[in-house]
Amino acid sequence: MTQPIKFAILGAGNIAHTMARTVTQMPEVVPYAVAARELDRAQAFAAQYGFSKAYGSYEQLLADPQVELVYIATPHSHHAAQALACLEAGKHVLCEKAFTVNAQQARQVLDTARQKGLLVAEAIWPRYMPMAQRLREVCQSGIIGRVHTLTADLGYSVFARPRIHDPALAGGALLDVGIYPLTFAAIAFGSQVEGVTSTAVMADTGVDAQNSVLLTYAGGRMAVLHSSVVAVSHRAGALQGEDGFAVVENVNNYESIRVYDRDRVQIAEYRQPRQITGFEYEVRACVEAIRAGQVECPQMPHREILRMMELMDTIRGQWGLRYPFE
């Protein structure tokens, strides 16, 4: 019988708790270790979820020879350095989105993973979900005819959180929530973006409070995307075709896809399968890739990680947004 992989979490914030609830219910992994900047936080986290080890520094966790796969759950500004530290320590990496701050950092991490023969994956969870394939099928099947337009909107009123508004932590709407509308467009329309036009409303701290992005594709297809960290949105996505349209509930975690004909009559509905949290799909993909000796997950290959970072670099460049450490 294949032994489960010893799983560690680097960081003990909100998203780390979601991952911990996930892995404690997965036979593929053992919830082994957690590290935080304060030992008491790591110990409380480990006790809450039954992790075997708690460390008061990230370096101590990486020095543990039992750790196999590390989930990075820290602010974007730290991802590149921490992913590189994991790889240098011989650990596989599942890094929370946005993968890094920019494409240059991403390229360095991906190159190092290939050199070390270690897995690196981005934890952009919709890419790994069964509903992602269902979205592709609706877009490509012809059920609503040729799809010309895609829209997606994701917004939360979370600007008060330090990591959201602080440029030193690579804050702003784009890297934190804008990645999800961009991912929705990538799943449905693919990677052949021909044009990028964007605008943003900048906060007093210098990061984007909200933004809109218009992507054009070969054949005249268009994606109209919006993200915000100052306003609550409906979180919906939509595909608009010649013979009807489809509405996706929650572009952050596709809950349903409802399909309508030309007369706006619903003709199909696809519901999200039962899930632990939705994070289990990315963890399972990592385990399968590691066992197969692969350095990337097919659901989110390295070339696509890099393409998405390059796309966000282009968008930020149009606003003149550079972080102080870039």
Side-chain angles (χ1 to χ4, degrees):
M1 182 177 177
T2 305
Q3 290 294 314
I5 286 176
K6 288 186 172 66
F7 189 90
I9 299 179
L10 203 150
N14 290 337
I15 203 163
H17 284 268
T18 302
M19 181 57 81
R21 291 197 303 272
T22 307
V23 297
T24 53
Q25 301 178 64
M26 296 185 67
E28 297 94 338
V29 293
V30 173
Y32 175 71
V34 61
R37 288 172 297 178
E38 299 86 23
L39 179 58
D40 58 346
R41 287 185 69 220
Q43 290 173 330
F45 188 102
Q48 181 176 354
Y49 297 106
F51 281 63
S52 302
K53 301 285 185 178
Y55 293 108
S57 79
Y58 302 147
E59 293 78 13
Q60 288 177 320
L61 183 145
L62 296 182
D64 186 333
Q66 295 296 310
V67 171
E68 296 177 87
L69 172 60
V70 178
Y71 169 63
I72 297 175
T74 56
H76 313 127
S77 51
H78 295 56
H79 288 179
Q82 290 170 346
L84 290 169
C86 289
L87 294 170
E88 292 298 334
K91 316 301 184 186
H92 302 288
V93 177
L94 173 60
C95 185
E96 199 37 75
K97 59 78 198 162
F99 184 69
T100 53
V101 171
N102 55 46
Q104 181 180 3
Q105 290 182 347
R107 197 172 290 109
Q108 184 180 8
V109 172
L110 299 176
D111 287 347
T112 302
R114 285 190 287 270
Q115 292 164 10
K116 299 284 186 181
L118 293 166
L119 174 93
V120 165
E122 183 177 9
I124 177 72
W125 57 328
R127 294 272 191 168
Y128 302 85
M129 294 176 175
M131 288 292 276
Q133 181 56 32
R134 181 66 74 180
L135 175 61
R136 291 187 195 96
E137 291 169 357
V138 170
C139 189
Q140 298 168 9
S141 67
I143 190 172
I144 58 173
R146 185 174 184 274
V147 178
H148 287 269
T149 309
L150 172 154
T151 63
D153 192 326
L154 189 65
Y156 301 93
S157 183
V158 293
F159 188 76
R161 298 178 186 176
R163 72 171 183 85
I164 298 294
H165 65 244
D166 190 348
L169 296 177
L174 180 66
L175 293 187
D176 200 75
V177 296
I179 184 65
Y180 289 110
L182 289 170
T183 294
F184 182 80
I187 291 171
F189 278 179
S191 62
Q192 300 304 310
V193 175
E194 293 192 342
V196 182
T197 304
S198 67
T199 188
V201 175
M202 308 305 288
D204 291 341
T205 60
V207 303
D208 60 308
Q210 56 182 341
N211 64 73
S212 290
V213 178
L214 174 64
L215 305 178
T216 54
Y217 298 78
R221 291 180 302 167
M222 180 181 292
V224 183
L225 314 172
H226 179 71
S227 63
S228 175
V229 288
V230 293
V232 178
S233 84
H234 50 65
R235 303 188 303 176
L239 304 175
Q240 301 169 16
E242 293 175 347
D243 298 323
F245 64 97
V247 177
V248 180
E249 183 179 356
N250 191 2
V251 296
N252 188 27
N253 181 9
Y254 311 148
E255 296 170 18
S256 68
I257 303 175
R258 298 188 306 277
V259 184
Y260 300 84
D261 65 13
R262 283 174 174 263
D263 299 317
R264 303 179 183 272
V265 175
Q266 184 173 312
I267 55 175
E269 182 176 10
Y270 308 99
R271 303 292 303 182
Q272 178 188 85
R274 175 179 283 187
Q275 58 185 31
I276 300 171
T277 62
F279 283 18
E280 64 267 31
Y281 300 110
E282 63 196 38
V283 175
R284 193 170 295 126
C286 288
V287 171
E288 291 172 356
I290 291 168
R291 288 176 175 165
Q294 299 169 343
V295 298
E296 60 187 346
C297 293
Q299 298 90 338
M300 187 59 174
H302 288 180
R303 66 178 182 277
E304 187 66 358
I305 292 174
L306 186 58
R307 185 186 75 84
M308 295 299 284
M309 291 311 310
E310 290 172 341
L311 178 57
M312 289 192 289
D313 282 358
T314 297
I315 293 167
R316 284 199 296 124
Q318 292 181 353
W319 312 334
L321 172 55
R322 288 179 60 86
Y323 296 109
F325 50 84
E326 288 188 285

